[in-house]
């Protein structure tokens, strides 16, 4: 058990939740995009419920989970998904992807997106390293 690092991480998460400029549905797009890229079963399970509760439609949630989100999402949700997916899979974003994200979210929104992506990369790594399973059914 490592309580001090865990507490520091939890403060980061809490601060992000309170201070983020991202709407709740956009946050869930970020989280589900990261979880799908990492195959983090528990993260996908937990955030499927949260995504539904903040108004993401069933088709969008399913598409985020199965990697077909670019065919279903629109607007800011699609822009954020493309940004996060590109960052997570290639470790960079193109100028065009960055410009689209900045136009949709502003500079603070892009920074909040990157913070949230990093947070859930950490969460996914922990869940996968310790093989935390999802309960049956989303």
């Amino acid at each position: 058990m490592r309580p001090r690092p865990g507490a520091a991480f939890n403060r980061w998460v809490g601060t992000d939740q309170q201070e983020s400029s991202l709407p709740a549905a956009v946050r869930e797009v970020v989280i589900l995009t990261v979880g799908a890229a990492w195959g983090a079963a528990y993260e996908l399970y937990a955030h499927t419920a949260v995504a539904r509760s903040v108004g993401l439609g069933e088709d969008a949630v399913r598409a985020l989970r199965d990697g077909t989100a670019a065919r279903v999402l629109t607007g800011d949700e699609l822009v954020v998904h493309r940004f996060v997916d590109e960052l997570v899979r290639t470790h960079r974003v193109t100028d065009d992807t960055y410009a689209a994200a900045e136009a949709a979210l502003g500079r603070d929104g892009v920074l909040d997106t990157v913070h949230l992506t990093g947070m859930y990369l950490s969460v996914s790594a922990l869940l996968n390293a310790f093989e935390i399973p999802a309960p049956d059914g989303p």
Side-chain angles (χ1 to χ4, degrees), residues 2-86:
R2 306 261 305 136
R4 288 186 64 195
F9 184 80
N10 287 339
R11 282 192 305 277
W12 181 31
V13 171
T15 300
D16 180 75
Q17 288 172 338
Q18 292 174 358
E19 302 293 328
S20 179
S21 65
L22 301 176
V26 169
R27 288 177 59 82
E28 294 308 314
V29 168
V30 171
I31 295 165
L32 289 174
T33 300
V34 172
W38 270 65
Y42 189 85
E43 184 175 322
L44 291 170
Y45 161 78
H47 282 277
T48 290
V50 177
R52 289 174 179 148
S53 76
V54 298
L56 274 178
E58 195 60 41
D59 288 344
V61 171
R62 187 177 312 106
L64 284 159
R65 289 177 55 115
D66 70 19
T68 61
R71 294 185 211 152
V72 176
L73 298 178
T74 60
D76 291 355
E77 293 166 359
L78 177 58
V79 170
V80 167
H81 168 71
R82 285 183 173 153
F83 182 95
V84 172
D85 191 61
E86 194 172 306

Side-chain angles (χ1 to χ4, degrees), residues 41-133:
Y42 189 85
E43 184 175 322
L44 291 170
Y45 161 78
H47 282 277
T48 290
V50 177
R52 289 174 179 148
S53 76
V54 298
L56 274 178
E58 195 60 41
D59 288 344
V61 171
R62 187 177 312 106
L64 284 159
R65 289 177 55 115
D66 70 19
T68 61
R71 294 185 211 152
V72 176
L73 298 178
T74 60
D76 291 355
E77 293 166 359
L78 177 58
V79 170
V80 167
H81 168 71
R82 285 183 173 153
F83 182 95
V84 172
D85 191 61
E86 194 172 306
L87 181 59
V88 169
R89 293 183 193 280
T90 71
H91 312 140
R92 290 171 175 51
V93 292
T94 64
D95 291 344
D96 289 343
T97 299
Y98 184 92
E102 188 172 39
L105 305 171
R107 294 188 78 164
D108 288 349
V110 172
L111 182 57
D112 290 345
T113 298
V114 173
H115 278 192
L116 189 60
T117 299
M119 224 177 281
Y120 278 89
L121 285 168
S122 294
V123 170
S124 293
L126 286 165
L127 292 170
N128 286 357
F130 296 105
E131 299 179 343
I132 307 301

